[in-house]
């Protein structure tokens, strides 16, 4: 074998890693629930907490979570993989599911392309509401697709890019991130995910967690971005998602038929792939012929045009006067037509003879 012979190495495809059975994150009864001291005077049964205390107590008396989810170690197969349930386990996201592979819900990250059976529920099968809570916590609303999280109480130990790197490193574990905005010197960051399911999972996974400085994060839903550029981009994105969803549910033959009808109406020519072919009958140097010939009336003479041009009178514009003249002409035509019809349809009364004034008499004259 000569040294000049080329040796080609064929890379073998990597085998797909199969999921192993999900492990039990905690033992039953291992996690002790620590409640914050209540400072309120009245118990609110709607929010399931005391009300009437100091507003700052809701933030300063937060207790750090005792558990945290680790995707690489905790993800695995559960009963939901065999039963077909598409919802994730809420306690798995918080890192405290004691059932492991015996759990009835998924122990994996929600897939962005996964269509849930009910759009009024989140990825944990919790019912959404028509509006957000006053504190922007809870499950959320089904009237708006929210992909942005508000992350507060961040301990900043460096400049803005360093804080953004820390937030990215901790939040990218729960899904693909579209953008992150850090408000420096305000201990606040806004994290926007590509999928709404990623935001729902990250909100529960990072609630009362810490980053690198042993803080207790305040993770909530973000309000609507007031930036007009982001509003336009979000509107365009929702339109594209809606179009893709409609196309996925429609029969491809119907789509092709609609394209063919539209091309026939516009005078276009479609190729085999359904795209419009730019085909002109004339050469490149000449002007292309129009796709459809339109009947054009000869231009009126200049004198007639100048006479017919209406002039604005008083408060009425020229267009208004032209419209009034048009409707008046139609009214005249309708009146003339109705008069002719009445003359043809209504018969004339026969003339009676011998009934003049001189022919009247009385019996007393005889």
């Amino acid at each position: 074998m000569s040294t000049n012979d080329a040796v080609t190495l064929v890379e073998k495809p990597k085998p797909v890693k199969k999921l192993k059975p999900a492990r039990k994150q905690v033992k039953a009864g291992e996690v002790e629930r620590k409640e914050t001291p209540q400072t309120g005077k009245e118990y609110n049964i709607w929010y399931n907490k005391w009300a009437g205390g100091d507003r700052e107590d809701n933030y300063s008396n937060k207790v750090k979570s005792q558990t945290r989810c680790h995707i690489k170690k905790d993800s695995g197969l559960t009963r939901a993989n065999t039963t077909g349930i598409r919802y994730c386990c809420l306690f798995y996201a918080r890192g405290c599911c004691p059932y492991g592979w015996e759990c009835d819900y998924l122990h994996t990250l929600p897939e962005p392309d996964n269509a849930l059976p009910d759009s009024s529920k989140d990825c944990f099968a919790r019912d959404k509401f028509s509006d957000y809570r006053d504190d922007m916590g809870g499950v959320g609303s089904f009237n708006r697709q929210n992909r942005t999280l508000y992350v507060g109480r961040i301990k900043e130990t460096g400049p803005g890019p360093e804080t953004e790197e820390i937030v990215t490193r901790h939040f990218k574990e729960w899904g693909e991130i579209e953008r992150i905005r850090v408000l420096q010197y305000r201990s606040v960051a806004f994290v926007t995910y590509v999928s709404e399911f990623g935001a729902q999972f990250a909100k529960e996974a990072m609630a009362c967690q810490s980053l690198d400085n042993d803080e207790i994060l305040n993770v909530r839903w973000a309000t609507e971005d007031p930036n007009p550029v982001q509003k336009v981009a979000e509107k365009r994105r929702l339109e594209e998602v809606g179009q893709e969803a409609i196309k996925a549910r429609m029969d491809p033959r119907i789509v092709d038929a609609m394209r063919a009808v539209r091309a026939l109406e516009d005078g276009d020519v479609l190729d085999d792939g359904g795209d419009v072919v730019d085909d002109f009958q004339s050469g490149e140097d000449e002007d292309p012929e129009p796709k459809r010939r339109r009947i054009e009336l000869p231009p009126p003479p200049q004198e007639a045009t100048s006479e017919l041009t209406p002039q604005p009178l008083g408060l009425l514009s020229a267009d208004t006067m032209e419209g009034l003249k048009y409707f008046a002409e139609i009214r005249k035509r309708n009146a003339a037509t109705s008069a002719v019809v009445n003359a043809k349809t209504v018969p004339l009364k026969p003339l009676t003879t011998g009934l003049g004034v001189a022919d009247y008499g009385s019996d007393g004259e005889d």
Side-chain angles (χ1 to χ4, degrees), residues 68-118:
R68 180 168 178 171
C69 178
H70 300 278
I71 297 298
K72 294 183 179 180
K73 296 191 304 181
D74 298 337
S75 60
L77 299 175
T78 59
R79 291 179 178 175
N81 296 103
T82 57
T83 58
I85 296 179
R86 301 180 182 179
Y87 297 103
C88 298
C89 178
L90 176 63
F91 299 99
Y92 159 74
R94 296 174 178 175
C96 57
C97 181
Y99 298 106
W101 63 271
E102 298 177 349
C103 184
D104 294 332
Y105 294 91
L106 295 175
H107 276 209
T108 55
L109 287 176
E111 298 180 2
D113 300 333
N114 185 17
L116 297 180
D118 191 355

Side-chain angles (χ1 to χ4, degrees), residues 3-22:
T3 57
N4 297 330
D5 296 340
V7 179
T8 58
L9 299 178
V10 179
E11 295 183 357
K12 296 182 179 180
K14 296 182 180 180
V16 180
K17 187 177 180 181
K18 296 182 180 180
L19 289 176
K20 58 183 180 180

Side-chain angles (χ1 to χ4, degrees), residues 34-38 57 61-63:
K34 297 181 180 179
E35 297 183 357
T36 57
Q38 304 294 342
D57 292 341
N61 292 336
K62 287 286 185 180
V63 179

Side-chain angles (χ1 to χ4, degrees), residues 70-260:
H70 300 278
I71 297 298
K72 294 183 179 180
K73 296 191 304 181
D74 298 337
S75 60
L77 299 175
T78 59
R79 291 179 178 175
N81 296 103
T82 57
T83 58
I85 296 179
R86 301 180 182 179
Y87 297 103
C88 298
C89 178
L90 176 63
F91 299 99
Y92 159 74
R94 296 174 178 175
C96 57
C97 181
Y99 298 106
W101 63 271
E102 298 177 349
C103 184
D104 294 332
Y105 294 91
L106 295 175
H107 276 209
T108 55
L109 287 176
E111 298 180 2
D113 300 333
N114 185 17
L116 297 180
D118 191 355
S119 60
S120 64
K121 296 183 178 181
D122 64 351
C123 64
F124 303 108
R126 298 179 300 179
D127 292 327
K128 296 181 180 180
F129 298 92
S130 60
D131 199 0
Y132 290 92
R133 286 182 2 185
D134 295 338
D135 57 355
M136 296 303 291
V139 181
S141 173
F142 53 77
N143 288 327
R144 182 166 69 94
Q145 188 181 22
N146 201 340
R147 301 178 296 123
T148 305
L149 296 178
Y150 165 89
V151 184
R153 300 182 61 84
I154 302 174
K155 288 186 179 180
E156 301 183 41
T157 57
E162 182 178 347
T163 305
E164 182 177 350
E165 188 274 330
I166 295 174
V167 175
T168 304
R169 177 161 40 86
H170 283 270
F171 277 84
K172 70 179 182 181
E173 185 179 1
W174 320 113
E176 184 179 356
I177 296 177
E178 182 176 312
R179 65 180 181 274
I180 292 180
R181 182 187 176 192
V182 177
L183 303 183
Q184 196 173 5
Y185 308 120
R186 297 184 62 180
S187 303
V188 173
F190 294 92
V191 183
T192 303
Y193 285 87
V194 175
S195 172
E196 184 184 12
F197 298 148
Q200 294 172 0
F201 196 95
K203 180 180 178 297
E204 298 297 334
M206 295 300 295
C208 297
Q209 299 288 347
S210 61
L211 300 180
D212 290 348
N213 301 309
D214 200 24
E215 66 267 53
I216 301 177
L217 297 180
N218 178 22
V219 184
R220 302 184 180 187
W221 292 112
T223 56
E224 189 175 0
D225 195 347
N227 188 359
V229 178
Q230 294 297 334
K231 287 185 177 181
V232 173
E234 182 66 15
K235 182 179 179 181
R236 188 183 302 110
R237 188 191 68 85
L238 292 176
E239 291 177 354
E240 293 177 356
V241 171
Q243 292 176 1
E244 294 296 331
I246 293 174
K247 289 181 180 179
R249 291 182 176 272
M250 289 183 63
D251 191 351
R253 296 174 296 179
I254 299 178
V255 178
D256 296 339
M258 293 176 62
R259 288 181 179 176

